[in-house]
Amino acid sequence: EDQVTQSPEALRLQEGESSSLNCSYTVSGLRGLFWYRQDPGKGPEFLFTLYSAGEEKEKERLKATLTKKESFLHITAPKPEDSATYLCAVYSGSARQLTFGSGTQLTVLP
Amino acid sequence: DAGVTQSPTHLIKTRGQQVTLRCSPISGHKSVSWYQQVLGQGPQFIFQYYEKEERGRGNFPDRFSARQFPNYSSELNVNALLLGDSALYLCASSLKGTPENIQYFGAGTRLSVL
C-alpha cells in the first residue's frame, strides 16, 4: 500500500524567512510525484510534477526536488500570499491511483 | 478557458438520504477522478473514469457509485448517507487516465450530513 507522510504538519514563517517542506513516500514503482497548493475552501491547485530521482523544478519562489525516498518543496523569501496548505501526492504503477499526504499548513506572517 | 466545474457548491442532507454530485471537466479532457477530503486531511481517491469506463476504485463502500457521460462529464452518487460522509468532494480532470497527465481540480462540493 502506498504511503505519503508530510512534515511538518504546520509551519509559521516570517516574510522573507526561507524554509523547506518534506514529503516522504513509500510506493512500489513510482510513476510520478505531484505538489499541489490548496487555499481554504478551494480545490488543490497544481504546482509541480516530478518523475525521477534527481529531478528539480522551479516556479517563482518555489523549488521542488525528488530523491528515491522523499521530495522537498523549498520556499525562498516567502510572502504572505504564499500562505496555504501544500499537498504532496504520488502515483504508483501498483496502486494506479493518486495517493495524497495530509499536507503542510504554511502561514507567512508580514 | 473554463476549469473544472462542480455543482452544487454546498449541500445539506440528512442521514439515510441519497445525493448526486456533478462535475464538468476541462474541455478536451477525457478522464475524471473523484476524491473525498475530510477536514485536516488530504484528498482520498474514490473513482477514476476514462472514456466512460471505470479505470480505478478506491477503498469506499458500495454506497458510492459514479458514471461518466458521452460528453465526459461525470456524476458521483452516494446512497444511505452517514454522518461520516460529511466532507469536501473534489472532482479532477486530466487529458487521459495515465500518471503522466496532470490532474486539475475543481473547487469541490461541500456535503454536510445531519
Side-chain angles (χ1 to χ4, degrees):
Chain A
E1 181 178 335
D2 297 348
Q3 291 188 338
V4 179
T5 302
Q6 292 189 246
S7 62
E9 292 184 4
L11 181 64
R12 292 167 66 92
L13 300 173
Q14 289 295 136
E15 184 172 2
E17 180 186 1
S18 301
S19 188
S20 296
L21 312 182
N22 177 262
C23 171
S24 298
Y25 61 88
T26 303
V27 300
S28 176
L30 180 71
R31 299 285 298 276
L33 184 140
F34 301 81
W35 282 98
Y36 286 85
R37 166 192 171 129
Q38 187 172 27
D39 293 301
K42 297 187 177 181
E45 174 189 348
F46 171 75
L47 293 174
F48 303 107
T49 181
L50 303 166
Y51 294 110
S52 58
E55 191 174 358
E56 299 182 353
K57 288 191 177 176
E58 288 188 65
K59 178 182 179 181
E60 296 181 352
R61 296 177 292 281
L62 300 176
K63 179 180 178 180
T65 62
L66 180 65
T67 72
K68 289 186 178 180
K69 292 185 177 181
E70 58 190 350
S71 177
F72 290 94
L73 184 65
H74 306 277
I75 303 176
T76 302
K79 299 181 178 182
E81 53 261 42
D82 294 323
S83 297
T85 295
Y86 290 85
L87 295 165
C88 170
V90 297
Y91 195 113
S92 71
S94 59
R96 298 185 66 187
Q97 67 183 56
L98 206 56
T99 301
F100 281 84
S102 295
T104 292
Q105 184 175 5
L106 174 67
T107 303
V108 182
L109 303 172
Chain B
D1 286 343
V4 177
T5 57
Q6 293 186 242
S7 63
T9 305
H10 295 89
L11 205 51
I12 300 174
K13 292 285 188 178
T14 57
R15 284 179 297 174
Q17 285 188 314
Q18 175 264 342
V19 68
T20 298
L21 311 181
R22 295 177 175 82
C23 171
S24 293
I26 293 171
S27 177
H29 285 194
K30 298 182 178 181
S31 179
V32 169
S33 298
W34 287 95
Y35 295 83
Q36 180 194 67
Q37 186 175 26
V38 176
L39 194 63
Q41 298 294 318
Q44 187 174 0
F45 174 74
I46 309 175
F47 287 109
Q48 183 186 51
Y49 278 78
Y50 175 63
E51 290 279 18
K52 301 180 291 295
E53 291 189 0
E54 183 182 302
R55 278 293 193 84
R57 172 185 287 253
N59 188 24
F60 279 80
D62 292 342
R63 298 184 296 107
F64 289 76
S65 64
R67 55 180 175 169
Q68 186 177 34
F69 299 99
N71 65 353
Y72 303 109
S73 66
S74 178
E75 286 183 353
L76 175 70
N77 295 284
V78 186
N79 294 321
L81 285 168
L82 303 174
L83 295 179
D85 294 331
S86 296
L88 180 67
Y89 288 84
L90 295 163
C91 172
S93 77
S94 60
L95 282 171
K96 300 180 182 180
T98 55
E100 292 77 16
N101 295 134
I102 299 162
Q103 295 190 26
Y104 295 92
F105 286 81
T109 294
R110 173 72 62 185
L111 173 64
S112 298
V113 182
L114 306 178

